[in-house]
Amino acid sequence: MVGVRRSWVLAGLIASAAMVVVRPAAAGYDLAPESPVALPAGDLSTEAAGIRKTLEVYVRAVENKDVQLFRTVKPNLSDEEEKRARAAFKSVQSQVVRINVLSLDVRDGHAIVKVARRDTLNGSIVSSFPQTFQLAKEPSGWAIQDIGR
Amino acid sequence: MTRRILILAASALLMPAGVARADEKLAFLIPHLFGQTGLVVDSEARLPNGQTHSAHFNSAFQAEFTQFNVALASQLTGLPIPSPASGFTYTLDPTLGLFNRSTKSFGPLLSERAETIGKGKVSVGVHYQRFTFDKIEGVDLGQVSAVFTHDNPAPGGRDDVVTTDNAIDVSVSQLTGYLNYGLSNWLDAAVSVPLVQTELDVSSVATIRRIGTSSNPAIHFFRDASGGFGTSRSFTSSGKATGIGDVVLRLKARVTTLGPVAVGLGVDGRLPTGDEMNLLGAGAWGVKPFVVASSTGKTFSPHATVGYEWNGKSVLAGDPVAGTKADLPRQLKFSGGAALAVTSNLTLALDVIGRRIFDARRLSPTTFHALDGRTTFPDISFVQRSENELSGAAGFKFNPRGRLLIDANVLFALDNHGLRDKVTPLVGLEYAF
């Protein structure tokens, strides 16, 4: 009886470990575990990887409260916006950002990226909201020109 | 302070509501101070039938000092639900995708503001307050002089009076736990549960004033230890009770915004869960609808509240000895002040807190004039009237880390009306989830 129970426990542990190691991708999304930015599945623009990289840097800038890094992906940041960004970074203790890209519309060196974003502030305050990034391709790569709802 | 909080909490857990004197509830201590039948002095005077009698003396102090119970109960009903901090709410800056704290202010301490906590959010806290009352209607509780007159006073033997110097030492400790929950983004529900410990010590020195019987001490006297005709006697009575006080339930809605001012409506419902006979609760339900207006600035956040409280019948407002109930007085409660965010971690809160108590029995110092037309003594009487009571409050909310707040406040009397404590300290902790 005890042996049977141990077997079940062992089987349960192995199954749990397998679920952790082999995480199935969420339906319709290419979930790269290490990336905070998930792209939709299917045929994507050849620019998708570059756009994703820019959004990943944006996320890293927000999470690390790094205004300089923020400026590298949004070079048109005004002085007033920079001031607001510094104030925002100061007012949160931590911020974790996860972005699911809903659609990518790339045309003539410009891209409109619609996303669903989920932020966790200070470890427990969760906020989910839609967002639209407008990007432009520059010699150094894709840069954010505008962020809106 | 911590030790006292621990003792209070432990007493509440370990013992049921009770008093040090098992046979006497605190509400009876003053009416029974001189004995179950009141103040009686010895006498060897012969009645017409030849028997001796014990002379019975009466005073407003004993007969009408229920005002003290009402005033104390009224303090217990004044227990505020601390306004939960909404300083931890954030607003999205949509053009940057970043979050900013909506306000640096953690809000008021003992008054209210219109802002709600937000859907699904929870704020819990515990506050400790200790009242050590000093005065009632400006009369020092350590020196309440009252004159007892003979039954059916008349020139002669019945002209004698008994003067009393009474000292009332009363303190109330309240450890209040509260929970505030955001039912929606505009509607909060809250509950506060107080643990109350009331301590009451009453002592009196009664002195016979032989105005009409100066030539014969045998008519009115206190038998002394040697069997002689004594003039004075001391009476003392004390007790302590601990238990749950009156639970308060609250609904508060942020209903509209007028420019920078948010307007809210709310209602408090007070349940008579405290043992009123032990002065742990008011002994009556209470309903208080209120309206609140506030403006939340980056650093300066003013607020104002006004509410009207209806109370049910309580034995404390009636006669605790006879067990008859009467209406606990209605009250108009108001407060106004501001929270000032000194830094992102520190908010100062300043408030003026007032109330108008309608048609309540009020103590009034008077001068007693004896029937001889010459002798006077300080005395008290009771009159029915409405009165305002005004207090000030100053304190701070400090955020040491995360969403933990340390609260500290002092409440101080701005006038001499009602049962007053010069300074009432408050310490507490709040946490928002």
Side-chain angles (χ1 to χ4, degrees), chain B residues 38-353:
Chain B
L39 180 57
V40 177
V41 304
D42 303 309
S43 177
E44 289 187 352
R46 297 282 167 185
L47 294 171
N49 63 8
Q51 293 181 327
T52 58
H53 80 296
S54 293
H56 192 235
F57 286 74
N58 306 296
S59 163
F61 176 74
Q62 190 171 18
E64 297 191 60
F65 215 68
T66 53
Q67 187 234 354
F68 178 80
N69 289 340
V70 175
L72 194 57
S74 162
Q75 288 290 337
L76 297 172
T77 67
L79 175 74
I81 295 181
S83 179
S86 58
F88 297 111
T89 57
Y90 291 83
T91 50
L92 176 68
D93 181 340
T95 62
L96 295 174
L98 302 176
F99 286 87
N100 254 306
R101 243 169 70 181
S102 6
T103 170
K104 284 204 289 182
S105 164
F106 296 118
L109 260 160
L110 293 181
S111 54
E112 194 46 65
R113 63 178 176 180
E115 283 80 5
T116 46
I117 193 169
K119 184 178 181 181
K121 303 251 173 64
V122 176
S123 168
V124 295
V126 61
H127 277 183
Y128 174 80
Q129 272 181 295
R130 179 168 168 80
F131 297 89
T132 49
F133 296 105
D134 306 298
K135 290 184 175 181
I136 187 164
E137 309 298 351
V139 175
D140 185 352
L141 281 173
Q143 180 64 50
V144 181
S145 298
V147 178
F148 284 65
T149 57
H150 200 289
D151 277 342
N152 306 314
R158 291 176 183 273
D159 194 2
D160 285 358
V161 297
V162 178
T163 59
T164 59
D165 292 318
N166 307 284
I168 300 164
D169 186 3
V170 59
S171 65
V172 174
S173 301
Q174 289 179 153
L175 184 68
T176 309
Y178 64 91
L179 182 146
N180 195 66
Y181 178 71
L183 294 172
S184 75
N185 280 331
W186 56 272
L187 182 65
D188 283 359
V191 59
S192 81
V193 181
L195 268 176
V196 182
Q197 184 174 75
T198 303
E199 294 173 77
L200 182 59
D201 292 277
V202 193
S203 60
S204 180
V205 176
T207 305
I208 299 168
R209 307 289 180 174
R210 298 188 180 93
I211 297 166
T213 63
S214 55
S215 60
N216 187 359
I219 295 176
H220 293 131
F221 64 92
F222 289 118
R223 181 78 67 191
D224 61 24
S226 60
F229 300 136
T231 302
S232 296
R233 180 172 288 174
S234 295
F235 300 84
T236 59
S237 195
S238 64
K240 180 165 77 173
T242 305
I244 296 289
D246 288 348
V247 171
V248 176
L249 306 173
R250 164 176 291 181
L251 277 177
K252 186 184 81 177
R254 179 172 42 80
V255 289
T256 188
T257 303
L258 305 170
V261 179
V263 178
L265 291 173
V267 63
D268 284 352
R270 194 191 65 247
L271 311 177
T273 46
D275 177 3
E276 73 273 24
M277 298 309 287
N278 270 323
L279 304 178
L280 299 175
W285 57 264
V287 178
K288 187 187 77 175
F290 61 91
V291 58
V292 52
S294 60
S295 178
T296 303
K298 204 70 180 169
T299 55
F300 182 72
S301 304
H303 50 263
T305 309
V306 61
Y308 192 87
E309 182 179 281
W310 283 273
N311 292 301
K313 290 179 186 297
S314 168
V315 74
L316 294 182
D319 185 346
V321 178
T324 53
K325 292 186 174 184
D327 286 326
L328 208 59
R330 294 160 293 124
Q331 298 184 29
L332 177 73
K333 293 185 173 178
F334 47 92
S335 64
L340 183 69
V342 180
T343 68
S344 59
N345 288 346
L346 179 67
T347 295
L348 299 182
L350 296 167
D351 279 297
V352 173
I353 300 167

Side-chain angles (χ1 to χ4, degrees), chain A residues 38 40 62 102 120 131:
Chain A
V62 172
L102 303 174
T120 306
Q131 218 170 15

Side-chain angles (χ1 to χ4, degrees), chain A residues 71-82:
Chain A
R71 187 178 280 286
T72 63
V73 288
K74 194 173 187 307
N76 63 354
L77 195 69
S78 69
D79 289 348
E80 197 275 330
E81 284 178 323
E82 181 177 328

Side-chain angles (χ1 to χ4, degrees), chain B residues 330 356-360 362 383-388:
Chain B
R330 294 160 293 124
R356 182 167 183 79
I357 303 177
F358 296 98
D359 295 327
R362 294 276 180 175
V383 292
Q384 190 95 3
R385 66 170 189 261
S386 301
E387 195 79 80
N388 294 331

